[in-house]
Amino acid sequence: MQSHSSKESDDEEYSEISLRPFNISDTDDFMVWATDEKVTKYCTWEPYTSKQEALNYINNTIIPHPWYRAICLQNRPIGSISVAINSGNRTELGYVLAYKYWGKGIVTKAVKLMGKIIFSDFPGLERVEALVDDENVGSQRVLEKAGFTREGVLIKEVIKGRSRDMVMFSLLSF
């Protein structure tokens, strides 16, 4: 899959983002958000504590993954977005963004773009799902703005050894 970009008509600094595959050279940028406890608070993984750990993850998981992309500004990664195939007609979306870029509409644009890409790459795909901690209101707003539908709440999902309520969102193909 090639790089894709989104451009709005305004000249905002954050109006253009692109999604592209990760490279090993992105490790330092990856470490900016992957080590930040504010960013990883609602993730299923703990913050990274070493560059070697990040290099291993990028090499062994991210680079071989067909739908794991860097969210970039001026081709520099500021976050990531991925889609995992759960079954023949469903996928699960995940994303993370460096804290300094929160609240600027970047993830909403990335989610919309990834939705178009994944439905194009998989014509038989019927739904993309996203699970969000019920306390993570910002991420819920991202999905709603990107056209996802709030379906319900999964009570007491255990993530990071803690029981959390998770909101299920979906984007359906039409």
Side-chain angles (χ1 to χ4, degrees), residues 82-99:
S82 63
V83 177
I85 306 298
N86 289 335
S87 70
N89 68 343
R90 309 178 17 212
T91 64
E92 186 172 340
L93 178 75
Y95 47 84
V96 62
L97 189 70
Y99 180 73

Side-chain angles (χ1 to χ4, degrees), residues 101-122:
Y101 298 103
W102 287 8
K104 301 181 185 324
I106 294 169
V107 174
T108 300
K109 291 173 186 172
V111 168
K112 286 179 180 179
L113 191 54
M114 190 61 131
K116 289 178 190 173
I117 293 166
I118 203 69
F119 283 121
S120 171
D121 284 0
F122 281 97

Side-chain angles (χ1 to χ4, degrees), residues 4-115:
H4 298 273
S5 64
S6 168
K7 192 167 192 164
E8 300 294 317
S9 59
D10 60 12
D11 292 324
E12 277 184 51
E13 178 182 358
Y14 305 112
S15 64
E16 185 176 330
I17 61 136
S18 61
L19 304 180
R20 67 160 172 79
F22 273 90
N23 301 305
I24 280 298
S25 61
D26 296 325
T27 303
D28 289 337
D29 292 320
F30 176 85
M31 291 294 287
V32 169
W33 70 83
T35 60
D36 187 338
E37 290 184 12
K38 289 184 296 289
V39 172
T40 62
K41 177 180 180 180
Y42 297 115
C43 295
T44 57
W45 44 275
E46 297 294 340
Y48 282 78
T49 56
S50 76
K51 189 170 181 175
Q52 187 58 50
E53 185 183 21
L55 279 167
N56 291 342
Y57 184 69
I58 291 170
N59 259 330
N60 300 327
T61 302
I62 293 178
I63 290 174
H65 193 294
W67 301 282
Y68 206 121
R69 297 290 179 260
I71 300 171
C72 298
L73 280 176
Q74 299 173 347
N75 206 37
R76 186 167 186 183
I78 59 168
S80 67
I81 187 165
S82 63
V83 177
I85 306 298
N86 289 335
S87 70
N89 68 343
R90 309 178 17 212
T91 64
E92 186 172 340
L93 178 75
Y95 47 84
V96 62
L97 189 70
Y99 180 73
K100 81 181 229 177
Y101 298 103
W102 287 8
K104 301 181 185 324
I106 294 169
V107 174
T108 300
K109 291 173 186 172
V111 168
K112 286 179 180 179
L113 191 54
M114 190 61 131

